Amino acid sequence: GMPQVLLRFMAIRSADDIKQSRRIGIIWATLSLGAAVLIGLIGRSMFPMALTTASTSETIFIEMATLLFPPLLAGIVMSGILAATISSADSYLLIAASAFSKNIYKGVLRKDASDNQVMAMTRMILIVLAILGIIIALDENSVIFTIVSFAWAGFGATFGPLMLFSLFWKKTTRQGAIAGMLTGGIAVFIWKLLIKPIGGVFGIYELLPAFILSCVAIVIFSLIGEKPSAAMEEEFEMVKSQSKA
């Protein structure tokens, strides 16, 4: 459900490159996420009594690079943190600003807005979002992992089930899509803020229950609403046969 990743697939040169891209993506994700877990495990064994709070523990990569590498090499290694941050931040900022200016400003608030007005609104929203991000970053006690995991839960539960059902279940309807997105997005906030603090079995990551509820909503509202048109089902079968070929 991450839009900056989906855009890469939408902009791919041809459908023939999908399989190769899938393999590269899975291999890279396995290596990068596995390395992140190993860094955490090794760092904890190297600094058992340090970095005991959630916010300071996120600096373990910097501490390890400073200890294990000479200054020049440590600087090169740590620049990867900044590179990863910039590559993700610019995508999120552009997507959020464009989505607001196109879908809300021009689509709802001012339908007769010109391209220049939409561009001006995009730049304004971009600046506002950047300032909000800076304000959040100024909090020394904030935990980046908590913020990112909450954002990913929202993306995953809101758009993930809908994408899967749209690709593999031809009975998915517009009503089911809207219900699934609303249910998944709202459930993330409710579970995170109201249910998860109870603890126990309710202390699980909010993405899981929200994802399940979104799937249920898609199925229910797709079945009780109007059925997809014959043209839509025909297009679904055509795409399905092409993907198998």
Side-chain angles (χ1 to χ4, degrees):
M2 293 184 292
Q4 80 277 14
V5 176
L6 300 178
L7 287 175
R8 267 60 172 183
F9 280 97
M10 295 177 183
I12 200 165
R13 289 173 296 185
S14 67
D16 297 333
D17 294 330
I18 290 291
K19 290 184 178 180
Q20 182 181 3
S21 300
R22 181 180 61 199
R23 296 189 186 103
I24 295 174
I26 292 175
I27 293 174
W28 168 245
T30 302
L31 291 175
S32 60
L33 296 179
V37 173
L38 286 176
I39 289 173
L41 294 174
I42 296 173
R44 177 52 61 204
S45 64
M46 292 178 60
F47 302 93
M49 304 303 295
L51 310 176
T52 54
T53 65
S55 57
T56 58
S57 64
E58 293 185 329
T59 63
I60 186 63
F61 183 85
I62 299 175
E63 297 292 339
M64 292 177 62
T66 304
L67 178 66
L68 300 176
F69 298 112
L72 179 61
L73 185 57
I76 296 175
V77 171
M78 286 188 287
S79 66
I81 300 176
L82 184 60
T85 302
I86 294 175
S87 67
S88 297
D90 68 339
S91 297
Y92 285 126
L93 288 172
L94 290 173
I95 291 170
S98 299
F100 180 87
S101 59
K102 285 284 188 180
N103 301 328
I104 298 179
Y105 177 69
K106 184 177 177 60
V108 178
L109 300 178
R110 194 171 182 180
K111 296 183 179 181
D112 59 344
S114 64
D115 291 340
N116 290 333
Q117 291 173 329
V118 173
M119 178 62 69
M121 178 58 64
T122 301
R123 291 171 177 171
M124 290 174 56
I125 296 299
L126 191 65
I127 294 173
V128 171
L129 292 175
I131 293 174
L132 290 176
I134 293 173
I135 294 174
I136 295 174
L138 290 175
D139 183 5
E140 295 181 357
N141 296 320
S142 64
V143 182
I144 298 175
F145 180 78
T146 301
I147 299 173
V148 173
S149 65
F150 182 60
W152 279 24
F155 280 135
T158 303
F159 304 110
L162 174 59
M163 290 195 58
L164 294 175
F165 275 88
S166 299
L167 290 171
F168 299 107
W169 194 43
K170 67 179 181 180
K171 294 183 179 181
T172 304
T173 64
R174 182 174 181 270
Q175 294 83 354
I178 295 174
M181 287 190 294
L182 291 175
T183 301
I186 295 172
V188 168
F189 283 89
I190 293 177
W191 196 278
K192 171 72 173 181
L193 301 176
L194 301 178
I195 300 178
K196 192 173 182 178
I198 299 175
V201 295
F202 299 104
I204 60 176
Y205 184 30
E206 56 271 14
L207 173 59
L208 177 59
F211 192 97
I212 295 174
L213 290 173
S214 178
C215 292
V216 173
I218 291 174
V219 173
I220 292 176
F221 282 86
S222 294
L223 293 177
I224 65 176
E226 296 181 1
K227 295 183 178 179
S229 63
M232 186 177 297
E233 291 187 350
E234 181 180 351
E235 182 178 357
F236 180 92
E237 293 296 339
M238 179 186 68
V239 174
K240 184 177 179 180
S241 61
Q242 289 179 351
S243 63
K244 289 183 178 180

